[in-house]
């Protein structure tokens, strides 16, 4: 435990010294009494400000000085109760519960000793002193708990910020993987096709492929820029059309079935990125020439099926599919991959946001 008191309140709390100054108005002290009280008041203020500026772990030595000063001046001025109360506050603030109880017992014992030995001539010294010192020490405990609670809240806030930053980094990483993985595959395909067309002296067709390659690269650059503030797209229907066009360019016969649904922004983005990752995998690994994408709705659920007729071989899931499963799980969806007569990916998700 390493706490600090608010510095701006240090002078305000000194108003409690009025109990020490009040007897000066009513008791005819001798000159040396005044001198002793001035010296002790200066010493007390020094210990007070030293304690106030220390961490809680370093407060006890100046507090000990405050107790000694208050003990020495109490027989002359019983208003030293206020000095004892300051010591009680610092003890309550700085100490663990066990040490607090021990030191407060010692402080109360000092007050009782001063009273029963007859050194204090004021009859209300103990009657007023014990409740005041104990009560103020409890205020110190309250302040300690308040600061501990504020520190815990700050730590929780910092942890939430760090967690949020980590989640955002993971999101950007998944976005870049999904966007660039698919786009680079298309760029490679277009570049290879343009190269083959040039080799056949088909310059016009090669120029068309290069123009499409340039458009794909520009679109990828735009999406990468957007990924830092959240992936943006033109809607599920437009993105599905773009993905199907890429598959056709890769030599696949493509069939679309079912009605493309209207989804909220979060789930629409997740479905688009999921389809992008799956289409990219087909373009990279499938040895087939036919692909089907279907949308089916039933009992408030949506099922997407993406299949091809390639040579289905078991494969180890990489970062892309792992990230894809995490994305889908976040919206209550499931991904099923099947290998049989071709490859099949099934995405099942609720049409409404899960509670």
């Amino acid at each position: 435990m390493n706490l600090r008191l608010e510095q701006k309140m240090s002078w305000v709390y000194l108003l409690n010294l009025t109990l020490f100054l009040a007897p000066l108005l009513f008791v005819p002290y001798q000159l040396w009494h005044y001198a002793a009280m001035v010296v002790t008041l200066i010493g007390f203020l020094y210990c007070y400000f030293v304690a106030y500026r220390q961490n809680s772990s370093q407060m006890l030595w100046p507090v000990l000085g405050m107790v000694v000063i208050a003990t020495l001046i109490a027989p002359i001025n019983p208003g030293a109760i206020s000095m004892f109360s300051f010591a009680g506050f610092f003890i309550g603030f700085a100490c663990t519960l066990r040490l607090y109880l021990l030191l407060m017992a010692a402080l109360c014992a000092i007050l009782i000793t001063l009273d029963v030995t007859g050194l204090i001539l004021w009859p209300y010294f103990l009657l007023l002193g014990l409740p005041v010192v104990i009560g103020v020490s409890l205020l110190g405990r309250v302040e300690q708990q308040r600061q501990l609670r504020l520190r815990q809240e700050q730590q929780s806030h910092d942890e939430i910020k760090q967690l949020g930053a980590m989640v955002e980094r993971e999101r950007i990483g998944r976005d870049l993987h999904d966007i660039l993985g698919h786009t680079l595959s298309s760029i490679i395909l277009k570049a290879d096709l343009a190269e083959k067309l040039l080799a056949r002296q088909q310059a016009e067709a090669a120029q068309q492929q290069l123009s499409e390659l340039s458009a794909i690269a520009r679109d990828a650059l735009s999406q990468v820029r957007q990924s830092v503030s959240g992936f943006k797209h033109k809607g599920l229907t437009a993105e599905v059309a773009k993905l199907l066009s890429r598959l056709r360019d890769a030599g696949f016969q493509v069939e679309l079935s079912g009605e493309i649904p209207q989804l909220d922004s979060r789930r629409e983005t997740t479905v688009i990125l999921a389809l992008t990752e799956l289409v990219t995998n087909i373009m990279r690994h499938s040895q087939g020439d036919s692909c089907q994408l279907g949308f089916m709705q039933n009992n408030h659920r949506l099922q997407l099926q993406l299949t091809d007729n390639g040579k289905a071989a078991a494969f180890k899931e990489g970062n892309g599919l792992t990230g894809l499963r995490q994305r889908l799980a976040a919206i209550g969806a499931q991904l099923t991959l099947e290998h049989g007569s071709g490859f099949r990916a099934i995405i099942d998700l609720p049409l409404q946001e899960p509670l």
Side-chain angles (χ1 to χ4, degrees):
M1 184 172 61
N2 194 16
L3 306 176
R4 279 183 179 272
L5 290 165
E6 298 178 9
Q7 298 297 317
K8 64 182 180 180
M9 299 297 294
S10 59
W11 290 97
V12 177
Y13 292 144
L14 287 177
L15 293 175
N16 294 316
L17 282 176
T18 52
L19 184 60
F20 180 79
L21 300 176
L24 300 178
L25 302 176
F26 307 106
V27 179
Y29 288 110
Q30 298 179 21
L31 183 59
W32 75 270
H33 289 157
Y34 287 109
M37 284 187 283
V38 169
V39 171
T40 54
L41 183 59
I42 293 173
F44 170 81
L45 291 175
Y46 174 79
C47 293
Y48 169 79
F49 282 110
V50 170
Y52 209 99
R53 288 177 170 81
Q54 297 293 328
N55 294 327
S56 57
S57 59
Q58 300 172 321
M59 281 183 178
L60 292 184
W61 284 111
V63 170
L64 177 61
M66 294 165 61
V67 172
V68 171
I69 291 171
T71 302
L72 293 175
I73 200 62
I76 298 175
N77 185 346
I81 289 172
S82 61
M83 295 182 176
F84 284 111
S85 69
F86 278 102
F89 179 87
F90 284 115
I91 290 172
F93 177 77
C95 299
T96 62
L97 179 59
R98 181 176 180 181
L99 184 57
Y100 162 75
L101 294 175
L102 180 63
L103 293 181
M104 284 305 300
L107 192 60
C108 291
I110 292 173
L111 294 178
I112 295 171
T113 301
L114 288 172
D115 187 71
V116 299
T117 56
L119 294 174
I120 307 299
L121 301 179
W122 188 38
Y124 302 106
F125 177 79
L126 194 60
L127 184 64
L128 179 63
L130 283 178
V132 169
V133 171
I134 294 174
V136 174
S137 74
L138 292 176
L139 292 178
R141 297 296 299 174
V142 170
E143 177 63 16
Q144 179 198 88
Q145 295 304 309
R146 185 185 74 86
Q147 290 207 20
L148 287 174
R149 185 175 64 255
L150 290 176
R151 173 178 290 185
Q152 291 172 352
E153 291 174 355
Q154 182 62 41
Q155 289 175 344
S156 298
H157 178 69
D158 292 342
E159 290 172 359
I160 290 172
K161 287 177 61 179
Q162 292 174 1
L163 181 60
M166 181 178 67
V167 170
E168 182 65 7
R169 286 194 297 270
E170 291 178 352
R171 181 194 67 79
I172 292 175
R174 289 195 299 264
D175 285 356
L176 292 177
H177 178 278
D178 295 344
I179 294 169
L180 293 181
H182 169 73
T183 303
L184 291 176
S185 296
S186 298
I187 289 174
I188 292 171
L189 176 67
K190 292 289 185 182
D192 289 344
L193 184 56
E195 183 180 13
K196 293 177 181 178
L197 291 171
L198 287 173
R200 298 173 184 174
Q201 304 297 319
Q202 298 179 14
E204 185 175 346
Q207 181 63 41
Q208 175 65 29
Q209 294 300 321
L210 290 174
S211 297
E212 293 179 5
L213 186 152
S214 177
I216 292 172
R218 292 177 186 276
D219 182 59
L221 178 61
S222 175
Q223 292 184 20
V224 168
R225 288 172 175 170
Q226 293 168 354
S227 68
V228 297
S229 58
F231 180 68
K232 299 179 182 178
H233 50 76
K234 299 177 182 178
L236 182 57
T237 300
E239 295 298 328
V240 166
K242 185 188 299 184
L243 291 173
L244 297 184
S245 176
R246 300 274 174 85
L247 284 168
R248 292 189 182 97
D249 289 341
F252 286 86
Q253 294 181 355
V254 180
E255 179 183 345
L256 175 65
S257 62
E259 182 179 353
I260 299 177
Q262 294 292 325
L263 301 174
D264 60 80
S265 177
R266 181 188 179 203
R267 289 182 301 148
E268 185 176 55
T269 297
T270 302
V271 169
I272 289 171
L273 291 173
L275 288 175
T276 300
E277 173 67 19
L278 294 171
V279 167
T280 299
N281 284 336
I282 288 176
M283 292 172 61
R284 285 178 177 174
H285 306 296
S286 175
Q287 299 180 31
D289 58 6
S290 175
C291 185
Q292 296 81 38
L293 174 61
F295 292 85
M296 292 164 284
Q297 298 183 33
N298 185 27
N299 295 328
H300 305 291
R301 297 192 71 84
L302 172 67
Q303 188 177 88
L304 292 76
Q305 290 194 25
L306 181 65
T307 62
D308 70 16
N309 65 343
K311 294 181 180 180
F315 60 89
K316 182 178 180 181
E317 294 188 11
N319 292 334
L321 289 177
T322 299
L324 176 56
R325 290 189 184 277
Q326 293 173 350
R327 285 181 186 277
L328 292 171
I331 61 170
Q334 294 180 337
L335 172 65
T336 303
L337 302 178
E338 298 178 355
H339 305 276
S341 55
F343 169 78
R344 173 178 296 179
I346 302 172
I347 299 174
D348 185 81
L349 73 154
L351 287 173
Q352 295 182 351
E353 188 76 19
L355 299 177

